[in-house]
């Protein structure tokens, strides 16, 4: 078992460059199914979730060549299966993103039900309801979703109950090969949706309105593979390092992403007393005054991202007063709070609200990473804690952060990744 050990109280500062966005790279990899041939994806993060998506594509018959650490050549010309196995879907819920591309290419798909998740149910109902409007028929059998298109994919009007990123992406990837025009109302507006639309359009699709609440897709007969497409920079990895700079205080410059993709986060952080200097594809953050307690609530983009909630709660736990953090996206996203309480935070959970009372400081402790962002946030707390913090279950962190410990070390943090005996083996 590996852990991350952090010795608090050491200043961090300097520059860090973020990788390509996890939440974009996974969907772009799935989209290559739609264009038989070799598509090259650049700026792909070298993280465990990308490795799992690679296994899904290989299982379907694709060939993947790693040209360098961050460039993948994905050849989908020999894809001849349309079924994803449970053992892969269970490792990463985003692997259900192949549903839309498989329907677009083969008119059928069998995808294992994703089941539950640490941070929420992530129900696939909206995907199914939306695709039914395009002529897809579904049956659930032995834990698998069987999708067929008896009369082919046909464009239609889809109104989503919630601006779901996953449902919007699956609908886009199916609709590009449907007859006629598909309109997605109340579509997700995240930058990763725009990145996917750009890739599809470069392949020959006709997608309009990505980044707005209404996306219109005119179906085409075929899509062609791409010579190269670079994944958009990871705004959440950038936000994590920005939050770390805010809690530690010394200037940190975060490069490789678009500051506009963190628009509301940066505005809230300025309200909290952080000094934010925006530049071209970078942000410099520092703090010279106490953290001001500020209410936040998570919402789909352009609202405050749920993926930045834990990092922000960590900041607010050292605030000068009390505030409320409201989670509107995932129902179980407060599991991180109980671990932060072990380090001295004062947080009370009431439904989907967390009442945060600022404390003077954190104490180092042994804590468990409950999920991807919560794990990174516990390491963040350890940077300013009194003594040593040991974070276990760090496989969650590996899902979304490449070279997390080396990047922190380069900023001056006293942090190391260690292998320790598993408690069951002792």
């Amino acid at each position: 078992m590996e852990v991350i050990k952090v010795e608090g109280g050491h200043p961090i500062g300097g520059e860090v460059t973020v990788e390509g966005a996890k939440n974009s790279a996974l969907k772009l990899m799935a989209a290559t199914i739609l264009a038989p041939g070799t598509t090259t994806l650049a700026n792909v993060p070298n993280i465990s979730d990308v490795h799992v998506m690679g296994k899904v594509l290989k299982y379907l018959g694709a060939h993947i060549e790693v040209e360098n650490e961050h460039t993948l050549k994905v050849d989908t010309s020999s894809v001849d299966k349309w079924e994803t196995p449970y053992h892969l879907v269970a490792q990463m819920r985003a692997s259900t993103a192949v549903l839309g591309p498989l329907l677009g290419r083969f008119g059928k798909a069998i995808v294992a039900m994703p089941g539950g998740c640490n941070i929420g149910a992530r129900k696939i109902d909206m995907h199914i309801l939306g695709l039914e409007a395009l002529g897809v028929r579904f049956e659930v059998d032995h834990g698998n979703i069987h999708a067929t298109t008896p009369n082919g994919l046909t464009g239609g009007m889809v109104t989503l109950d919630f601006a779901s990123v996953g449902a919007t992406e699956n609908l886009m990837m199916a609709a590009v090969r449907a007859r006629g025009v598909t309109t997605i109302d109340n579509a997700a507006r995240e930058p990763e949706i725009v990145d996917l639309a750009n890739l599809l359009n470069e392949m020959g699709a006709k997608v309009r309105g990505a980044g707005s609440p209404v996306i219109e897709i005119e179906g085409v007969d075929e899509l062609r593979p791409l010579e190269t497409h670079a994944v958009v920079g990871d705004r959440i990895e950038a936000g994590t390092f920005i939050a770390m700079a805010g809690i530690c205080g010394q200037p940190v410059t975060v490069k490789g992403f678009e500051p506009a993709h963190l628009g509301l986060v940066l505005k809230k952080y300025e309200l909290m007393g952080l000094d934010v200097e925006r530049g071209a594809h970078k942000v410099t953050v520092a703090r010279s005054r106490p953290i001001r307690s500020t209410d936040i609530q998570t919402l789909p983009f352009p609202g405050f991202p749920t993926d930045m909630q834990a990092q922000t709660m960590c900041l607010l736990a050292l605030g000068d007063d009390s505030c409320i953090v409201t989670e509107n996206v995932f129902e179980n996203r407060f599991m991180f709070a109980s671990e932060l309480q072990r380090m001295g935070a004062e947080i009370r959970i009431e439904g989907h609200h967390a009442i945060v009372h600022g404390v003077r400081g954190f104490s180092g402790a042994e804590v468990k990473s409950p999920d991807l962002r919560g794990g990174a946030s516990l390491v963040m707390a350890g940077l300013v804690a009194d003594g040593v913090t040991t974070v276990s279950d760090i496989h969650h962190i590996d899902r979304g952060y490449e070279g997390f410990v080396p990047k922190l070390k380069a900023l001056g943090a006293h942090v190391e990744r260690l292998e320790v005996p598993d408690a069951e083996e002792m």
Side-chain angles (χ1 to χ4, degrees), residues 12 239-252 269 272-276 284-291 311 315 318 380 384:
I12 71 164
T240 302
F241 284 110
I242 287 167
M244 288 178 172
I247 206 167
C248 293
Q250 296 298 313
V252 173
Y269 281 8
M272 289 164 59
L274 277 60
D275 301 312
V276 179
T284 300
V285 176
R287 180 177 58 83
S288 56
R289 47 189 180 266
I291 297 168
Q311 302 92 312
L315 274 169
L318 297 180
M380 169 179 161
V384 294

Side-chain angles (χ1 to χ4, degrees), residues 24-204:
S24 189
L26 299 175
K27 314 309 168 60
L28 300 185
M29 289 174 72
T32 62
I33 293 170
L34 288 161
T38 300
T39 291
T40 301
L41 297 175
N43 201 33
V44 178
N46 184 9
I47 53 175
S48 61
D49 270 12
V50 165
H51 301 162
V52 173
M53 183 59 85
K55 289 177 184 176
V56 172
L57 293 177
K58 287 177 181 176
Y59 179 89
L60 295 171
H63 297 280
I64 299 178
E65 179 187 338
V66 181
E67 193 169 73
N68 61 49
E69 196 178 9
H70 298 114
T71 303
L72 300 180
K73 285 183 174 290
V74 186
D75 182 358
T76 59
S77 54
S78 57
V79 168
D80 57 359
K81 295 191 187 79
W82 46 86
E83 178 177 359
T84 60
Y86 177 72
H87 76 273
L88 291 176
V89 175
Q91 291 180 49
M92 183 187 67
R93 305 307 187 267
S95 54
T96 57
V98 298
L99 177 60
L102 289 174
L103 286 166
R105 178 157 169 182
F106 298 110
K108 54 187 172 182
I110 302 174
V111 176
M113 290 280 282
C117 178
N118 277 2
I119 58 170
R122 294 181 184 243
K123 293 181 175 64
I124 202 166
D125 300 7
M126 271 188 290
H127 302 237
I128 291 173
L129 287 170
L131 289 166
E132 282 179 337
L134 305 187
V136 183
R137 289 186 185 171
F138 289 93
E139 290 181 11
V140 177
D141 182 47
H142 296 289
N144 291 321
I145 300 166
H146 293 251
T148 55
T149 53
N151 301 307
L153 285 167
T154 307
M157 177 74 187
V158 180
T159 301
L160 296 175
D161 287 347
F162 178 82
S164 160
V165 173
T168 301
E169 290 165 336
N170 255 329
L171 283 164
M172 286 169 61
M173 290 188 281
V176 291
R177 291 297 314 278
R179 293 191 307 274
V181 175
T182 298
T183 302
I184 307 172
D185 192 16
N186 197 26
R189 300 163 62 184
E190 274 72 2
E192 295 79 15
I193 295 284
V194 177
D195 199 20
L196 175 59
N198 289 342
L199 173 95
L200 293 171
N201 285 338
E202 289 161 17
M203 287 177 162

